[in-house]
Structure formats: C-alpha cells, structure tokens
Amino acid sequence: MCIKEEIFRDFVQKLRKEKEFSDEIINKIKELWEHEKITSQEEILKLISGDHSDDIKN
Amino acid sequence: MTSKIKKVKINSLRGIRDLELQIDGKKLLIYGENGTGKSSIVDAIEFFFSGTISHLKGVRGISLQNHGPHIHFEKDDMNVEITFNPGNITLTRNFSFMSSPPEHLKSYFQITQKSAFILRRSQVLEFIISRPAERFRAIGSIIGIESLDNIELEMKKVFDKIKGDIEFCNKQFKKIKNELSNIMNKKIGGIDDILPTINKMLKEVNYPQMKSLEMFDEYSEKLLSYTKKTKSFDKIHLLKMIRETTTHKLVEEEIEKKIYLLNTKITKILDEDFILKKYIHNILYNGLTILKEQKSEKCPLCEQDIERQNLMERVESRLNTLNDLSNTASEIRELSANIIKEIEVIVNKLNNVNLHVKLVAELSELSIQIEEQVICLKEIIKKISSTGDFKSNIEVKIIEQQFNKVKKLWKYISKKSENLLEVADISKEEKEVLDKIRKIEKVRNKTVEILNVQSKIKKYQKSFILAEKMYYTFSEVKKAKIQEIFRNIQNNIQQYFKIIHPSEPFENIELHIIPERRASTELRLDIFGREREDPRALISEGHLDSLGLCIFLSFIKKFNKDCSLIILDDVVSTVDSKHRENICKLLLEEFKDKQLIITTHDELWYDQLLSYQRVYNMENDFKNMVIVKWSINTGPIIQPYKTRWERIQEKIDKGDKNGAGNEGRQYLEWILTEICERMRAQVSFKKSGRYELGELLDSAKKRLDKLLKDSEFKDKIKEAFENLETKVFLGNILSHENKITKKVSLNEVESFCSSVKNLHNQFLCSTCGKFLNYYNNLKIIRCSNPKCKDPIEVKTT
C-alpha cells in the first residue's frame, strides 16, 4: 500500500471514532477519494452540508 | 526482473540534434566539459518520462514549448525514444504523443513520471538551504504525496469559508437584534424576549394577546378585521410597508469598504511574483543568517559599510512581509464569503420590496428595474466567488457604479411611495390600525430574519465542526505518517552521511515536521556537542551538498523500489576529492542494483568513478562515455571512454607523433602528481598550482629513495625512473611546435610513452590494479583498495 493510501486509511479510521461522522458521510468521503474528487472544495462543502441537511430532516 | 534502459534516442531537444545512446541496461557514466550537452541528455530523459523539463518551469519568459526544442528545429521535431529491457520495448514521447507503457513497466513509470529519480546540482540544496515549506515539497514529490497537500489545502479552504459564514451570520444576528430592540423600544436579548414584549405593546392599546410567534400573519389579519377598511386602505398598507423598508439603507458603507479591502489583498497577491519572492526570501533569509553570525559592520556581498542592526531589522521586516502571503490568501477567502453574504441580503431586500411594488399600480413599472438590478448583483456575487482563484482583480469601480444605481433606485422607490402616501386619503382609525399592523409586521419580518440567521448559524456550526475535525484529523494523520517515514529514513541518511564523512562529528540527522504549519519540514543535526542545530549554521558547503545527496538517496532507496533509474547530474562539484571517493563507495555499495546515470564535468570525479568500478569489479556494469566535442550544428559527439594508454596507442597507430607525445606528457604529469600525493613527497608550494615535470620527478624520486628499504620493489621503481629520465625531454619537445619535433621518430615517441606506462604499472597493485598508497602510521606502502583480496604491501623506513 502506498503512503497516500495509508494516510487515507488512517484518516478514515480516526474519523470513525468521531461521533459527528456517520457511516454515511464516511462512505461519501471514501467515494470522493476513489473518484479523486476530494480535492474539490465544492465537493467537500457539499459533503459537509449534505450530512447536515440530513440531520435537520431527522 | 527489474526493467532497465537499453537505448535512448534523442532528436532536436535542447543542445542535441540527433543522438543515440546504447546503454544496454548498464550504468552510464558521462564526462563532458561545461556546455557540451550532458544536461540535455538528462533533460531528454526527464521529458520522456514526465513530459516536462523541470528547470524550464516557473521561470518567467522560459517555456518548454519555446526552449525545449533545439534552436534550429521546431517543437514538432523534438522526440525522445527509449527502449527498455527485458522485452525490448520501445516507447516514444514528443509534444503530441506518448506511448502507453506496458503493464510490467507501469510501476516504473509511476515513479519516473514525477521526475523524482533525477538529482541536479541546482536541486541538491533544495533539501538543505530552502525554506521548510519548499523542503517539504521537494521531499513530497519523491514520496508521492503532493496530491495530499492539495486535499489538505481544499479542506482548509472549506474550513475558512464556513468560519467566514459564521462570522457574518453572528454580525447579522446582532444587527437584527438591535433593530428589533429599536422597533420595540426594549432591549431584546434573544428570540424568547420577543413574544412577551410584543404582548406588552398590544396590552397597552387593549388588543388581544398573541400566543406564539407563528401567529404573526394570522394576527395582522385579525387586527385588520377590527376596523372598517376604506378603498385605499390596502394600497396605503402596501405603501407604508414599502416606505418603511426603503427608509433603511440598502447598501451599507461597510460592504464597499470590504470590497476595496478585498481588492487590495487580491492585488497584493497578484502583484507578488511568487517564484521571484521565493528567491528573494532565500537571499534575505541567508543574508540575515550571515549578518547575525558575521557580526561585522560590512556588507558580506559588496563589503561596503553598513549599519548592521538597522539592516537586520529591515531584512526581518521584509521577511515578515513575505511570510504574510499565505495568510493573505486565507483572509481573501474569508472576506469574499462575508461580502457575498452581504450582497445576498441586498438581493433579498430588493426581492421583498418588489413583491409589494408589483401590487401598487403607480409603482409597478419599477418592478422591472428592480429585477434588472437583482440580476446585476447576482453577477457581482459570481465575480466575487471567483476571487479565490487569485486570477484577476475585482473591478471595484464597476461594482461601485452598480451599488450607486441600486441605491438611487431604492431612494426613488422610497420617495415615490412617500409622495403617494401624502396624497392618500385615510381615516384616523385606519391610521392607528395601520401603525399597529406596521409595527407588528416589522417585528414579524425581523423575527423571521433572526430565526433564519439563527438556523443558519446552527447549520454552519455543525458544518464547521465537521470541517474542522476533517481538516485537523487529515492534517494530523498526514503529519504523523510523514514523520514516521522521516524516522524510518533518518537511519539511512545517517548511515550514508557516515559513509561519506566517516569519523566526523555529525550525529542524529533529523527531518522533522513542523506541527504548527500545514506543510513544512525542518532539518536538524547534532554537531560539535551542540544538539539539533540547523546544518547551515555550522557545516561547510561541501558537507551540505553531500547531506542533500544523502537525503535524496535515502528517499530513493525507500520509495523508488520499483524503479531502477537514478540520475545524478553534476552533483558533487563542491565536495573534495577524498569525500568524493566515499561517494563512489556509497553509490557502488548501496545502489549497485540501480541503473545509475552519472554526468560530470569534473575529470577527477570521473577518474575516481572509473577507478572504483575496478575496485568493486564492476567495469562490466558500466558504460563509460566521454563527450569529446559539441557544437550547435552537431550536438554532443560522444564516444566510449578510452584509457590514456588506449588514446596514446590510437595516435601512434595513426602516426600522430605530436598528439601521442602530448598525451604521454599529460599522462606523466598525472602519474607524478599522484605519486607525490600518495607517497607524501615534498614539493615546493606554488600559488599557481602548476609544476614543471622536472620538479615533480625529482620530488617523487627523492621521496621513494628515502622511503624504500633495499628490495626488489625499490629496484624496479629505480629502474622505471631511470628509464623515464632518459626520455623525459621528448615529452617537453613534443608538446610544443618546434623544428626539433620533426627529428623525433615515432618509435622514440612510443618508447617515451611506454616508459611512462611502465612507471605507472610499478605503482599499481598487481592483484586489483588500484594505485598504491603510503600509510605513515603503519610505515607501509600498500594497495589503496580496502577490498583487495591480496594487496601488495611493502614495508618502508
């Protein structure tokens, strides 16, 4: 596994321990990473606010 | 089996017209004087793998397209073809095409595409002298984490943006709260204070109480039902609402100031030539270090008198300005988010007023104008959103003009509604109800606003927590991982540096991530009993260069496992001869499996590498080449390396007496210099460093006569010197054009050259062929190759 992947794996593992990050948002982060879209500010904003809108609905 | 380069074919690139290098998967050593096209070969290999030539990037006025191709050719003529073994696979790159590597070469290409296998002279110090952020970038490109920096930066941008949104909403919240307090004549602390206060107002005029804030609309209707409306009542109600709204400022002065401030910051960024600033920063940083250490009142560059303290303060102030650049970028992002929010408020106000304007016949024609202004403001929002790209200034004047138009329209609506109200007919009772309704309406509107803002703050705060945790978690994980890599690599750096500088007091070489910065790396080592010193503070330029080389090689060792190629382009010019020998050892011991391509303009380093090939029995692993000539029309003329003796033989075979004699004389000069140095002969010091043959010969002879006990070895040496002395005058004659030259026969020249070679042979180890050295502490002359299996050893006096 290359360093980039190792860093991402550890990052996701740490996020899982944070109560604010649901499985859904972590899966979305993984999806962005796989599609190399995590470098887009827009996508990150969407990810964060999207997770929040779900909270509001609930 | 590791893939290696078999052949490189270069067309029309930099100083090369057409060149074919047959490497056969071996290591390649190229000697050539300055400006003979060595670096063009390196450039071509870099272009082939990465599509770029890194030293042509980022320099104003220089580009790959214009300066990559040979000066006599077009860019379409530029082409590089490399053949790999195993598989005899030939791939091509030019400006319009790149062959796709086959599966088994993919991991090799993943590494080479980043140019992380080349170390040029100019890059050695990137690991040492540069600022921590640049050092981090240099290392990052080798370990392949550049894209992680982009991810981290984008996360930081999101974090900054949400922070800006929250700040804006908090200001809005405060502002609306103050407005509510003014309308209700009572200080409002929060939402909970609104209902009791409004009910108190209603009680004063004997109207029924409101049960909740959600009842606002229903309640206004109820109030209207208390009175008998005239025909003009609804219109007056609308006009009063329009009038009430438009008496308040639409565009706050603060927003215009903020746009000016934003533009100033963007202009600053745009005006900054980042590359240039980087260089200036390095000069200033190094200059400041020198000023601090030198403690002299003279300029270290021009030696003119200076006020040191004053100059240091000015340099420090300039350095602080340069450090501000990245902070400014962050501020721009926050500020633009804030301005956008404020313009959105203006747009909302215009849209709300328009809803009422449309319903009043006398004002309805203004509706289109309002809509046009809304479109223009949305355009401004778009422009401000794009400021984060730092590509262009904001057209402040145009925005100012737009704001003036909007303000004028707002004022006009206000004035016109006021005029219409003056001529309207309304009873006293109606007026009273309208006033009450208007007040309730105002409270209602403000309450809706404050609830919206409160909900936004809540939403942003949640997003902020996510953005903050995401950014800091990513940053921490990245730093921790890189620090772990640094820890793993430090042993290699230390080990390699020890090979080059054995028994020198450098310990604990440490690469260290700076925790409080986003992407920065510090370099420290222990030296002369002082711990964690910046190497620049206490070690020589040659040591810094070799440290840079060790850092590069350590990362290559760890991360370029799937790529055998390492290119070192003229990297040891500041390192002295003794330490270069150790670099030879390092390369041939630790990187023996790699396909090294080493270029140099330094004959001594070239000879040392040749000599170490023999020591390590690696002559067959190398292709040794020499660039004998270069011109713009021919490009480099490159030939396989020939020993001095091979060159002499070639000239004798051609009947070139002068050429052979000249080579023979140079050969003799070199041998005598080596003997004097290795046997520690005393030679009178000459500032010019140029010694006559006779001077060197005498010194060498005397030294050996004194050093050697009577032995077979001594006899042979004596005989070789005597043989040479009878012919040495030929060397002098043949190296100059004169009449006597013609009288010298080819046989005599050959005999002179053979006597030189004979002398040389006496000083070579018969087992491994390495030069003999005198070891004073052991009082012996011995083969200088520590790996020699059966070294010659002669006891001395």
Side-chain angles (χ1 to χ4, degrees), chain B residues 451-502:
Chain B
L451 284 169
N452 278 342
V453 171
Q454 209 176 31
S455 138
K456 274 187 190 169
I457 292 175
K458 207 175 150 195
K459 175 184 157 191
Y460 287 145
Q461 275 170 342
K462 283 194 174 179
S463 299
F464 181 76
I465 292 169
L466 290 175
E468 189 185 28
K469 286 212 165 152
M470 217 171 141
Y471 168 63
Y472 283 111
T473 307
F474 189 81
S475 187
E476 273 168 27
V477 167
K478 192 188 95 175
K479 282 175 188 166
K481 182 59 73 181
I482 295 170
Q483 190 57 59
E484 190 188 316
I485 291 166
F486 286 172
R487 267 194 297 273
N488 289 337
I489 232 107
Q490 273 154 209
N491 286 341
N492 271 356
I493 301 175
Q494 184 73 45
Q495 180 203 343
Y496 296 167
F497 201 62
K498 274 275 171 211
I499 293 176
I500 302 177
H501 303 277

Side-chain angles (χ1 to χ4, degrees), chain A residues 1 4 13 17 25-26 32 45 49 52:
Chain A
M1 188 186 275
K4 258 170 76 174
Q13 264 176 15
K17 288 178 192 161
I25 193 168
I26 285 176
L32 284 184
L45 259 174
S49 50
H52 172 68

Side-chain angles (χ1 to χ4, degrees), chain B residues 258-276:
Chain B
K258 279 180 189 170
I259 289 173
Y260 268 105
L261 181 64
L262 179 65
N263 196 43
T264 314
K265 287 180 188 290
I266 291 170
T267 309
K268 185 184 164 195
I269 287 271
L270 291 173
D271 285 350
E272 306 294 345
D273 184 330
F274 275 112
I275 302 276
L276 191 64

Side-chain angles (χ1 to χ4, degrees), chain B residues 184 186 188 192-213 215-216 219 436 440 443:
Chain B
M184 302 173 94
K186 188 180 185 295
I188 299 294
D192 294 344
D193 293 344
I194 298 173
L195 192 61
T197 313
I198 205 161
N199 276 335
K200 201 179 164 195
M201 275 166 56
L202 292 168
K203 200 177 176 186
E204 281 166 13
V205 285
N206 293 322
Y207 283 130
Q209 299 285 288
M210 248 171 42
K211 285 182 186 156
S212 76
L213 291 175
M215 281 178 67
F216 267 127
Y219 199 80
K436 287 287 169 220
I440 291 170
V443 173

Side-chain angles (χ1 to χ4, degrees), chain A residues 2-15 18-22 25 29 32-33 38-45 47-53 55-56, chain B residues 143-148 150-151 154-155 157-158 161-162 165 333 455 458-460 462-467 469-471 473-478 481-482 484-485 559:
Chain A
C2 75
I3 289 152
K4 258 170 76 174
E5 296 295 334
E6 274 181 39
I7 290 175
F8 182 71
R9 183 200 59 196
D10 293 357
F11 168 59
V12 168
Q13 264 176 15
K14 270 203 150 185
L15 283 189
E18 301 288 346
K19 62 180 185 314
E20 292 85 358
F21 287 85
S22 60
I25 193 168
I29 292 173
L32 284 184
W33 174 266
I38 207 159
T39 46
S40 148
Q41 200 185 137
E42 251 176 56
E43 292 288 345
I44 300 173
L45 259 174
L47 175 94
I48 287 172
S49 50
D51 185 71
H52 172 68
S53 336
D55 286 354
I56 289 174
Chain B
I143 63 181
I145 52 155
E146 314 95 307
S147 59
L148 295 186
N150 294 338
I151 293 172
E154 290 308 309
M155 287 180 180
K157 281 182 187 171
V158 170
K161 190 189 173 307
I162 299 175
D165 288 344
R333 286 192 290 272
S455 138
K458 207 175 150 195
K459 175 184 157 191
Y460 287 145
K462 283 194 174 179
S463 299
F464 181 76
I465 292 169
L466 290 175
K469 286 212 165 152
M470 217 171 141
Y471 168 63
T473 307
F474 189 81
S475 187
E476 273 168 27
V477 167
K478 192 188 95 175
K481 182 59 73 181
I482 295 170
E484 190 188 316
I485 291 166
F559 294 100

Side-chain angles (χ1 to χ4, degrees), chain B residues 262-522:
Chain B
L262 179 65
N263 196 43
T264 314
K265 287 180 188 290
I266 291 170
T267 309
K268 185 184 164 195
I269 287 271
L270 291 173
D271 285 350
E272 306 294 345
D273 184 330
F274 275 112
I275 302 276
L276 191 64
K277 293 287 176 203
K278 190 178 88 176
Y279 292 137
I280 294 173
H281 185 281
N282 287 348
I283 293 170
L284 290 174
Y285 188 85
N286 293 332
L288 190 63
T289 312
I290 295 167
L291 284 172
K292 278 180 182 165
E293 282 173 11
Q294 196 170 277
K295 297 192 171 101
S296 153
E297 297 293 317
K298 291 228 179 260
C299 169
L301 287 175
C302 62
E303 295 191 329
Q304 293 203 13
D305 291 340
I306 50 162
E307 282 181 43
R308 184 171 154 270
Q309 196 53 40
N310 183 14
L311 183 61
M312 276 168 51
E313 280 166 16
R314 279 167 52 201
V315 172
E316 267 169 7
S317 144
R318 188 79 206 283
L319 277 170
N320 285 339
T321 313
L322 294 173
N323 284 336
D324 279 349
L325 280 180
S326 61
N327 295 338
T328 307
S330 202
E331 283 164 18
I332 286 173
R333 286 192 290 272
E334 271 184 48
L335 194 55
S336 56
N338 201 298
I339 292 168
I340 288 168
K341 291 280 163 209
E342 292 197 19
I343 301 177
E344 280 169 355
V345 169
I346 297 172
V347 168
N348 285 339
K349 279 185 187 172
L350 282 168
N351 282 335
N352 287 336
V353 159
N354 202 19
L355 292 175
H356 297 141
V357 165
K358 278 178 183 169
L359 300 173
V360 180
E362 293 89 334
L363 294 177
S364 60
E365 62 188 21
L366 294 172
S367 178
I368 295 170
Q369 288 186 42
I370 295 173
E371 281 165 10
E372 281 172 2
Q373 296 308 321
V374 165
I375 292 170
C376 294
L377 288 173
K378 285 183 176 169
E379 278 302 310
I380 293 175
I381 290 176
K382 261 192 209 165
K383 280 178 190 161
I384 292 175
S385 308
S386 65
T387 52
D389 302 337
F390 310 120
K391 285 183 181 157
S392 60
N393 287 72
I394 305 173
E395 293 156 318
V396 180
K397 284 267 172 240
I398 294 175
I399 296 177
E400 202 177 63
Q401 282 167 9
Q402 187 55 46
F403 281 161
N404 285 338
K405 278 186 197 168
V406 175
K407 281 194 262 184
K408 211 172 149 188
L409 179 64
W410 193 251
K411 214 171 163 185
Y412 182 72
I413 298 168
S414 179
K415 186 73 189 160
K416 196 152 182 189
S417 59
E418 193 182 339
N419 291 343
L420 287 170
L421 270 174
E422 274 172 21
V423 294
D425 183 23
I426 189 166
S427 72
K428 197 183 166 192
E429 191 200 7
E430 285 172 335
K431 191 175 179 297
E432 212 174 86
V433 174
L434 274 178
D435 284 345
K436 287 287 169 220
I437 293 171
R438 207 178 71 216
K439 208 162 192 174
I440 291 170
E441 278 282 342
K442 275 196 248 174
V443 173
R444 186 193 77 100
N445 290 341
K446 291 294 161 195
T447 306
V448 170
E449 274 181 46
I450 213 164
L451 284 169
N452 278 342
V453 171
Q454 209 176 31
S455 138
K456 274 187 190 169
I457 292 175
K458 207 175 150 195
K459 175 184 157 191
Y460 287 145
Q461 275 170 342
K462 283 194 174 179
S463 299
F464 181 76
I465 292 169
L466 290 175
E468 189 185 28
K469 286 212 165 152
M470 217 171 141
Y471 168 63
Y472 283 111
T473 307
F474 189 81
S475 187
E476 273 168 27
V477 167
K478 192 188 95 175
K479 282 175 188 166
K481 182 59 73 181
I482 295 170
Q483 190 57 59
E484 190 188 316
I485 291 166
F486 286 172
R487 267 194 297 273
N488 289 337
I489 232 107
Q490 273 154 209
N491 286 341
N492 271 356
I493 301 175
Q494 184 73 45
Q495 180 203 343
Y496 296 167
F497 201 62
K498 274 275 171 211
I499 293 176
I500 302 177
H501 303 277
S503 57
E504 289 185 48
F506 307 112
E507 298 293 339
N508 299 329
I509 298 169
E510 187 185 301
L511 282 165
H512 185 70
I513 288 281
I514 305 174
E516 61 275 16
R517 297 205 196 150
R518 197 175 57 78
S520 287
T521 299
E522 260 182 349

